Amino acid sequence: MSFARVRALVVVGVLAVAAVVFVVVALVRDTQGGAVAGGGCPEGSVMANVKLPDDPQEVTVKILNGTDQAGLADRVTNDFKNRRFQTQKPAENNKKFDGVAILRYGPDAVGSAWLLRAYFLNQADPQYSAKRKGAVVDIVIGGRFQQLATTTEVNQSLVELSEPQLPPGACAAPVKKDS
């Protein structure tokens, strides 16, 4: 056996021993003893659906008129219907609101509310409630509301908003894979 071949075997052997030592040290000194595989939720957290809907038909809205303008909730409900959203019967809000809009939603509608923020060009005030049940997003239309955004404006707004963010006290629910 030539000297070069012996030297190569010695180098490979030393590297193999060093790799084994490195792996053993990494496993022994691992500080992630309490970590849960798959990103489990901490105690007391609520599972939230942060998946951004692929189609407006996956989102249900209920429009509430927070102004003195008669018929505004009906008009905005029709605007959302024309954009292929599922809608519930419009109603009047108990209190008047001066802003653009308020989005009221719970853990099942986090991704839907994120999409709806884009229709108000991120001017709507999100109001998350961990105790709220169902995937319906209530939208209170305020005095500063003018109109819903166009498709191009919605897409630009979604780019600015980025991915849906988890509300405080929530963790992401597992995303179902589409077949």
mmCIF file with all atom_site columns, all heavy atoms in Angstrom, residues 24-44:
data_model
loop_
_atom_site.group_PDB
_atom_site.id
_atom_site.type_symbol
_atom_site.label_atom_id
_atom_site.label_alt_id
_atom_site.label_comp_id
_atom_site.label_asym_id
_atom_site.label_entity_id
_atom_site.label_seq_id
_atom_site.pdbx_PDB_ins_code
_atom_site.Cartn_x
_atom_site.Cartn_y
_atom_site.Cartn_z
_atom_site.occupancy
_atom_site.B_iso_or_equiv
_atom_site.pdbx_formal_charge
_atom_site.auth_seq_id
_atom_site.auth_comp_id
_atom_site.auth_asym_id
_atom_site.auth_atom_id
_atom_site.pdbx_PDB_model_num
ATOM 1   N N   . VAL A 1 24 ? -22.300 13.110 19.220 1.00 0.00 ? 24 VAL A N   1
ATOM 2   C CA  . VAL A 1 24 ? -22.534 12.723 20.607 1.00 0.00 ? 24 VAL A CA  1
ATOM 3   C C   . VAL A 1 24 ? -22.584 13.958 21.500 1.00 0.00 ? 24 VAL A C   1
ATOM 4   O O   . VAL A 1 24 ? -23.475 14.093 22.347 1.00 0.00 ? 24 VAL A O   1
ATOM 5   C CB  . VAL A 1 24 ? -21.451 11.722 21.079 1.00 0.00 ? 24 VAL A CB  1
ATOM 6   C CG1 . VAL A 1 24 ? -21.525 11.502 22.583 1.00 0.00 ? 24 VAL A CG1 1
ATOM 7   C CG2 . VAL A 1 24 ? -21.608 10.405 20.338 1.00 0.00 ? 24 VAL A CG2 1
ATOM 8   N N   . VAL A 1 25 ? -21.649 14.882 21.322 1.00 0.00 ? 25 VAL A N   1
ATOM 9   C CA  . VAL A 1 25 ? -21.637 16.111 22.130 1.00 0.00 ? 25 VAL A CA  1
ATOM 10  C C   . VAL A 1 25 ? -22.907 16.926 21.880 1.00 0.00 ? 25 VAL A C   1
ATOM 11  O O   . VAL A 1 25 ? -23.524 17.448 22.814 1.00 0.00 ? 25 VAL A O   1
ATOM 12  C CB  . VAL A 1 25 ? -20.366 16.939 21.839 1.00 0.00 ? 25 VAL A CB  1
ATOM 13  C CG1 . VAL A 1 25 ? -20.463 18.329 22.451 1.00 0.00 ? 25 VAL A CG1 1
ATOM 14  C CG2 . VAL A 1 25 ? -19.137 16.216 22.362 1.00 0.00 ? 25 VAL A CG2 1
ATOM 15  N N   . ALA A 1 26 ? -23.344 17.033 20.643 1.00 0.00 ? 26 ALA A N   1
ATOM 16  C CA  . ALA A 1 26 ? -24.551 17.794 20.327 1.00 0.00 ? 26 ALA A CA  1
ATOM 17  C C   . ALA A 1 26 ? -25.779 17.179 20.990 1.00 0.00 ? 26 ALA A C   1
ATOM 18  O O   . ALA A 1 26 ? -26.641 17.892 21.512 1.00 0.00 ? 26 ALA A O   1
ATOM 19  C CB  . ALA A 1 26 ? -24.740 17.866 18.813 1.00 0.00 ? 26 ALA A CB  1
ATOM 20  N N   . LEU A 1 27 ? -25.875 15.867 20.989 1.00 0.00 ? 27 LEU A N   1
ATOM 21  C CA  . LEU A 1 27 ? -27.022 15.206 21.614 1.00 0.00 ? 27 LEU A CA  1
ATOM 22  C C   . LEU A 1 27 ? -26.999 15.326 23.131 1.00 0.00 ? 27 LEU A C   1
ATOM 23  O O   . LEU A 1 27 ? -28.041 15.519 23.765 1.00 0.00 ? 27 LEU A O   1
ATOM 24  C CB  . LEU A 1 27 ? -27.071 13.730 21.197 1.00 0.00 ? 27 LEU A CB  1
ATOM 25  C CG  . LEU A 1 27 ? -27.436 13.457 19.734 1.00 0.00 ? 27 LEU A CG  1
ATOM 26  C CD1 . LEU A 1 27 ? -27.296 11.976 19.414 1.00 0.00 ? 27 LEU A CD1 1
ATOM 27  C CD2 . LEU A 1 27 ? -28.838 13.943 19.423 1.00 0.00 ? 27 LEU A CD2 1
ATOM 28  N N   . VAL A 1 28 ? -25.827 15.228 23.729 1.00 0.00 ? 28 VAL A N   1
ATOM 29  C CA  . VAL A 1 28 ? -25.715 15.302 25.183 1.00 0.00 ? 28 VAL A CA  1
ATOM 30  C C   . VAL A 1 28 ? -26.006 16.718 25.684 1.00 0.00 ? 28 VAL A C   1
ATOM 31  O O   . VAL A 1 28 ? -26.677 16.910 26.696 1.00 0.00 ? 28 VAL A O   1
ATOM 32  C CB  . VAL A 1 28 ? -24.321 14.822 25.642 1.00 0.00 ? 28 VAL A CB  1
ATOM 33  C CG1 . VAL A 1 28 ? -24.088 15.121 27.109 1.00 0.00 ? 28 VAL A CG1 1
ATOM 34  C CG2 . VAL A 1 28 ? -24.158 13.340 25.358 1.00 0.00 ? 28 VAL A CG2 1
ATOM 35  N N   . ARG A 1 29 ? -25.540 17.709 24.981 1.00 0.00 ? 29 ARG A N   1
ATOM 36  C CA  . ARG A 1 29 ? -25.699 19.102 25.427 1.00 0.00 ? 29 ARG A CA  1
ATOM 37  C C   . ARG A 1 29 ? -26.963 19.777 24.894 1.00 0.00 ? 29 ARG A C   1
ATOM 38  O O   . ARG A 1 29 ? -27.119 20.977 25.043 1.00 0.00 ? 29 ARG A O   1
ATOM 39  C CB  . ARG A 1 29 ? -24.486 19.921 25.004 1.00 0.00 ? 29 ARG A CB  1
ATOM 40  C CG  . ARG A 1 29 ? -23.243 19.494 25.732 1.00 0.00 ? 29 ARG A CG  1
ATOM 41  C CD  . ARG A 1 29 ? -22.145 20.470 25.487 1.00 0.00 ? 29 ARG A CD  1
ATOM 42  N NE  . ARG A 1 29 ? -20.962 20.084 26.236 1.00 0.00 ? 29 ARG A NE  1
ATOM 43  C CZ  . ARG A 1 29 ? -19.872 20.786 26.288 1.00 0.00 ? 29 ARG A CZ  1
ATOM 44  N NH1 . ARG A 1 29 ? -19.802 21.919 25.624 1.00 0.00 ? 29 ARG A NH1 1
ATOM 45  N NH2 . ARG A 1 29 ? -18.842 20.384 26.985 1.00 0.00 ? 29 ARG A NH2 1
ATOM 46  N N   . ASP A 1 30 ? -27.854 19.031 24.290 1.00 0.00 ? 30 ASP A N   1
ATOM 47  C CA  . ASP A 1 30 ? -29.089 19.585 23.729 1.00 0.00 ? 30 ASP A CA  1
ATOM 48  C C   . ASP A 1 30 ? -29.916 20.232 24.841 1.00 0.00 ? 30 ASP A C   1
ATOM 49  O O   . ASP A 1 30 ? -30.188 19.618 25.873 1.00 0.00 ? 30 ASP A O   1
ATOM 50  C CB  . ASP A 1 30 ? -29.892 18.472 23.056 1.00 0.00 ? 30 ASP A CB  1
ATOM 51  C CG  . ASP A 1 30 ? -31.137 18.989 22.375 1.00 0.00 ? 30 ASP A CG  1
ATOM 52  O OD1 . ASP A 1 30 ? -31.236 20.213 22.166 1.00 0.00 ? 30 ASP A OD1 1
ATOM 53  O OD2 . ASP A 1 30 ? -32.007 18.165 22.039 1.00 0.00 ? 30 ASP A OD2 1
ATOM 54  N N   . THR A 1 31 ? -30.316 21.482 24.646 1.00 0.00 ? 31 THR A N   1
ATOM 55  C CA  . THR A 1 31 ? -31.094 22.212 25.649 1.00 0.00 ? 31 THR A CA  1
ATOM 56  C C   . THR A 1 31 ? -32.570 22.311 25.290 1.00 0.00 ? 31 THR A C   1
ATOM 57  O O   . THR A 1 31 ? -33.314 23.030 25.935 1.00 0.00 ? 31 THR A O   1
ATOM 58  C CB  . THR A 1 31 ? -30.539 23.641 25.822 1.00 0.00 ? 31 THR A CB  1
ATOM 59  O OG1 . THR A 1 31 ? -30.616 24.306 24.566 1.00 0.00 ? 31 THR A OG1 1
ATOM 60  C CG2 . THR A 1 31 ? -29.114 23.619 26.337 1.00 0.00 ? 31 THR A CG2 1
ATOM 61  N N   . GLN A 1 32 ? -33.014 21.603 24.284 1.00 0.00 ? 32 GLN A N   1
ATOM 62  C CA  . GLN A 1 32 ? -34.404 21.671 23.863 1.00 0.00 ? 32 GLN A CA  1
ATOM 63  C C   . GLN A 1 32 ? -35.206 20.501 24.416 1.00 0.00 ? 32 GLN A C   1
ATOM 64  O O   . GLN A 1 32 ? -36.054 19.938 23.740 1.00 0.00 ? 32 GLN A O   1
ATOM 65  C CB  . GLN A 1 32 ? -34.496 21.679 22.337 1.00 0.00 ? 32 GLN A CB  1
ATOM 66  C CG  . GLN A 1 32 ? -33.801 22.840 21.694 1.00 0.00 ? 32 GLN A CG  1
ATOM 67  C CD  . GLN A 1 32 ? -33.933 22.782 20.185 1.00 0.00 ? 32 GLN A CD  1
ATOM 68  O OE1 . GLN A 1 32 ? -34.927 22.312 19.664 1.00 0.00 ? 32 GLN A OE1 1
ATOM 69  N NE2 . GLN A 1 32 ? -32.932 23.263 19.497 1.00 0.00 ? 32 GLN A NE2 1
ATOM 70  N N   . GLY A 1 33 ? -35.001 20.168 25.652 1.00 0.00 ? 33 GLY A N   1
ATOM 71  C CA  . GLY A 1 33 ? -35.665 19.021 26.254 1.00 0.00 ? 33 GLY A CA  1
ATOM 72  C C   . GLY A 1 33 ? -37.174 19.144 26.281 1.00 0.00 ? 33 GLY A C   1
ATOM 73  O O   . GLY A 1 33 ? -37.885 18.164 26.149 1.00 0.00 ? 33 GLY A O   1
ATOM 74  N N   . GLY A 1 34 ? -37.716 20.360 26.454 1.00 0.00 ? 34 GLY A N   1
ATOM 75  C CA  . GLY A 1 34 ? -39.165 20.549 26.538 1.00 0.00 ? 34 GLY A CA  1
ATOM 76  C C   . GLY A 1 34 ? -39.824 20.857 25.217 1.00 0.00 ? 34 GLY A C   1
ATOM 77  O O   . GLY A 1 34 ? -41.016 21.109 25.166 1.00 0.00 ? 34 GLY A O   1
ATOM 78  N N   . ALA A 1 35 ? -39.081 20.857 24.137 1.00 0.00 ? 35 ALA A N   1
ATOM 79  C CA  . ALA A 1 35 ? -39.653 21.203 22.841 1.00 0.00 ? 35 ALA A CA  1
ATOM 80  C C   . ALA A 1 35 ? -40.590 20.105 22.371 1.00 0.00 ? 35 ALA A C   1
ATOM 81  O O   . ALA A 1 35 ? -40.368 18.931 22.613 1.00 0.00 ? 35 ALA A O   1
ATOM 82  C CB  . ALA A 1 35 ? -38.547 21.415 21.814 1.00 0.00 ? 35 ALA A CB  1
ATOM 83  N N   . VAL A 1 36 ? -41.670 20.530 21.704 1.00 0.00 ? 36 VAL A N   1
ATOM 84  C CA  . VAL A 1 36 ? -42.658 19.589 21.191 1.00 0.00 ? 36 VAL A CA  1
ATOM 85  C C   . VAL A 1 36 ? -42.538 19.557 19.680 1.00 0.00 ? 36 VAL A C   1
ATOM 86  O O   . VAL A 1 36 ? -42.589 20.594 19.024 1.00 0.00 ? 36 VAL A O   1
ATOM 87  C CB  . VAL A 1 36 ? -44.085 20.029 21.595 1.00 0.00 ? 36 VAL A CB  1
ATOM 88  C CG1 . VAL A 1 36 ? -45.106 19.070 21.026 1.00 0.00 ? 36 VAL A CG1 1
ATOM 89  C CG2 . VAL A 1 36 ? -44.202 20.108 23.104 1.00 0.00 ? 36 VAL A CG2 1
ATOM 90  N N   . ALA A 1 37 ? -42.398 18.378 19.135 1.00 0.00 ? 37 ALA A N   1
ATOM 91  C CA  . ALA A 1 37 ? -42.322 18.249 17.679 1.00 0.00 ? 37 ALA A CA  1
ATOM 92  C C   . ALA A 1 37 ? -43.637 18.671 17.058 1.00 0.00 ? 37 ALA A C   1
ATOM 93  O O   . ALA A 1 37 ? -44.704 18.408 17.578 1.00 0.00 ? 37 ALA A O   1
ATOM 94  C CB  . ALA A 1 37 ? -41.997 16.810 17.302 1.00 0.00 ? 37 ALA A CB  1
ATOM 95  N N   . GLY A 1 38 ? -43.579 19.356 15.927 1.00 0.00 ? 38 GLY A N   1
ATOM 96  C CA  . GLY A 1 38 ? -44.791 19.772 15.237 1.00 0.00 ? 38 GLY A CA  1
ATOM 97  C C   . GLY A 1 38 ? -45.339 21.088 15.744 1.00 0.00 ? 38 GLY A C   1
ATOM 98  O O   . GLY A 1 38 ? -46.426 21.481 15.365 1.00 0.00 ? 38 GLY A O   1
ATOM 99  N N   . GLY A 1 39 ? -44.646 21.787 16.620 1.00 0.00 ? 39 GLY A N   1
ATOM 100 C CA  . GLY A 1 39 ? -45.067 23.109 17.052 1.00 0.00 ? 39 GLY A CA  1
ATOM 101 C C   . GLY A 1 39 ? -46.315 23.091 17.913 1.00 0.00 ? 39 GLY A C   1
ATOM 102 O O   . GLY A 1 39 ? -47.273 23.782 17.631 1.00 0.00 ? 39 GLY A O   1
ATOM 103 N N   . GLY A 1 40 ? -46.350 22.282 18.968 1.00 0.00 ? 40 GLY A N   1
ATOM 104 C CA  . GLY A 1 40 ? -47.499 22.204 19.846 1.00 0.00 ? 40 GLY A CA  1
ATOM 105 C C   . GLY A 1 40 ? -47.798 23.541 20.501 1.00 0.00 ? 40 GLY A C   1
ATOM 106 O O   . GLY A 1 40 ? -46.965 24.422 20.594 1.00 0.00 ? 40 GLY A O   1
ATOM 107 N N   . CYS A 1 41 ? -49.041 23.672 20.959 1.00 0.00 ? 41 CYS A N   1
ATOM 108 C CA  . CYS A 1 41 ? -49.490 24.919 21.596 1.00 0.00 ? 41 CYS A CA  1
ATOM 109 C C   . CYS A 1 41 ? -49.149 24.917 23.075 1.00 0.00 ? 41 CYS A C   1
ATOM 110 O O   . CYS A 1 41 ? -49.300 23.894 23.743 1.00 0.00 ? 41 CYS A O   1
ATOM 111 C CB  . CYS A 1 41 ? -51.001 25.053 21.457 1.00 0.00 ? 41 CYS A CB  1
ATOM 112 S SG  . CYS A 1 41 ? -51.514 25.699 19.891 1.00 0.00 ? 41 CYS A SG  1
ATOM 113 N N   . PRO A 1 42 ? -48.734 26.075 23.587 1.00 0.00 ? 42 PRO A N   1
ATOM 114 C CA  . PRO A 1 42 ? -48.538 26.188 25.032 1.00 0.00 ? 42 PRO A CA  1
ATOM 115 C C   . PRO A 1 42 ? -49.881 26.067 25.757 1.00 0.00 ? 42 PRO A C   1
ATOM 116 O O   . PRO A 1 42 ? -50.940 26.293 25.172 1.00 0.00 ? 42 PRO A O   1
ATOM 117 C CB  . PRO A 1 42 ? -47.956 27.596 25.218 1.00 0.00 ? 42 PRO A CB  1
ATOM 118 C CG  . PRO A 1 42 ? -47.503 28.027 23.870 1.00 0.00 ? 42 PRO A CG  1
ATOM 119 C CD  . PRO A 1 42 ? -48.308 27.262 22.872 1.00 0.00 ? 42 PRO A CD  1
ATOM 120 N N   . GLU A 1 43 ? -49.824 25.731 27.017 1.00 0.00 ? 43 GLU A N   1
ATOM 121 C CA  . GLU A 1 43 ? -51.023 25.603 27.854 1.00 0.00 ? 43 GLU A CA  1
ATOM 122 C C   . GLU A 1 43 ? -51.847 26.890 27.821 1.00 0.00 ? 43 GLU A C   1
ATOM 123 O O   . GLU A 1 43 ? -51.308 27.984 27.952 1.00 0.00 ? 43 GLU A O   1
ATOM 124 C CB  . GLU A 1 43 ? -50.595 25.303 29.299 1.00 0.00 ? 43 GLU A CB  1
ATOM 125 C CG  . GLU A 1 43 ? -51.725 24.977 30.233 1.00 0.00 ? 43 GLU A CG  1
ATOM 126 C CD  . GLU A 1 43 ? -52.195 23.538 30.100 1.00 0.00 ? 43 GLU A CD  1
ATOM 127 O OE1 . GLU A 1 43 ? -51.417 22.691 29.644 1.00 0.00 ? 43 GLU A OE1 1
ATOM 128 O OE2 . GLU A 1 43 ? -53.342 23.278 30.456 1.00 0.00 ? 43 GLU A OE2 1
ATOM 129 N N   . GLY A 1 44 ? -53.140 26.777 27.597 1.00 0.00 ? 44 GLY A N   1
ATOM 130 C CA  . GLY A 1 44 ? -54.037 27.930 27.598 1.00 0.00 ? 44 GLY A CA  1
ATOM 131 C C   . GLY A 1 44 ? -54.156 28.656 26.274 1.00 0.00 ? 44 GLY A C   1
ATOM 132 O O   . GLY A 1 44 ? -54.924 29.598 26.152 1.00 0.00 ? 44 GLY A O   1
#
